[in-house]
Amino acid sequence: MIDLLHLNQKSEPDGHFRSVEMDDVMYIKDLRVQTIIGLYDWERKVRQEVSIDIDIFFDNKAASAKDSVEDTIDYKKITKAVISHVEKSSFKLQESLAESIAVLIKQDHPNNSIRIRVSKPGALRNAKDVGIIIER
């Protein structure tokens, strides 16, 4: 049975409970953007599709209590900024693209932990995709 009274608390060895901060996550999953990415000559000439997942960790309590967009993560603003950035970019490595996205997001959310996943669907035969996940 779930102890709802102590749901956001951790039991200590002495039997007492202490509060545990829980991170909530605003996520954007499988954002598809066309960009120049890759090492090979043909990849430097042809736009390819990349898939991007973004997780931004934050405390949702204020936003949910006030029901106000000013107190939460504006995912539409982030999505538009990431699309514009990626479409204009020309990286050789997915690692560099992922890092540049992290830097972009951290400009507006310096105190939030983030996780960025970038992949190239169909880049490897016999694999759905290949990519990189970074956390900052």
Side-chain angles (χ1 to χ4, degrees):
M1 186 165 135
I2 298 174
D3 181 0
L4 295 177
L5 180 62
H6 298 104
L7 187 61
N8 290 340
Q9 298 181 344
K10 180 180 177 185
S11 176
E12 295 293 334
D14 64 4
H16 291 93
F17 289 88
R18 69 174 175 84
S19 290
V20 175
E21 288 299 318
M22 297 179 70
D23 281 337
D24 303 305
V25 181
M26 174 69 67
Y27 72 91
I28 301 166
K29 183 174 179 72
D30 199 24
L31 180 63
R32 301 285 179 126
V33 185
Q34 298 285 323
T35 190
I36 299 294
I37 186 130
L39 297 171
Y40 301 110
D41 288 341
W42 71 268
E43 291 179 301
R44 308 307 301 153
K45 298 172 186 162
V46 178
R47 296 176 95 52
Q48 297 181 72
E49 184 175 76
V50 293
S51 171
I52 303 164
D53 293 347
I54 302 167
D55 294 335
I56 304 174
F57 298 86
F58 75 112
D59 186 347
N60 183 52
K61 288 189 233 63
S64 61
K66 295 178 184 177
D67 197 27
S68 171
V69 71
E70 287 80 22
D71 295 305
T72 192
I73 306 291
D74 186 343
Y75 53 82
K76 184 175 183 177
K77 179 181 174 184
I78 291 171
T79 300
K80 289 172 82 172
V82 169
I83 290 171
S84 176
H85 173 75
V86 173
E87 284 179 340
K88 294 174 187 172
S89 72
S90 178
F91 291 103
K92 293 179 181 175
L93 301 177
Q94 293 184 73
E95 293 86 340
S96 301
L97 177 58
E99 191 66 38
S100 74
I101 294 168
V103 168
L104 175 72
I105 293 171
K106 291 293 262 182
Q107 288 174 357
D108 286 338
H109 303 282
N111 298 322
N112 297 86
S113 295
I114 60 174
R115 179 182 304 123
I116 307 294
R117 177 184 175 276
V118 174
S119 68
K120 289 172 61 175
L124 291 177
R125 188 172 24 164
N126 301 324
K128 184 177 179 180
D129 64 3
V130 61
I132 182 83
I133 300 172
I134 64 170
E135 296 182 1
R136 301 291 179 263

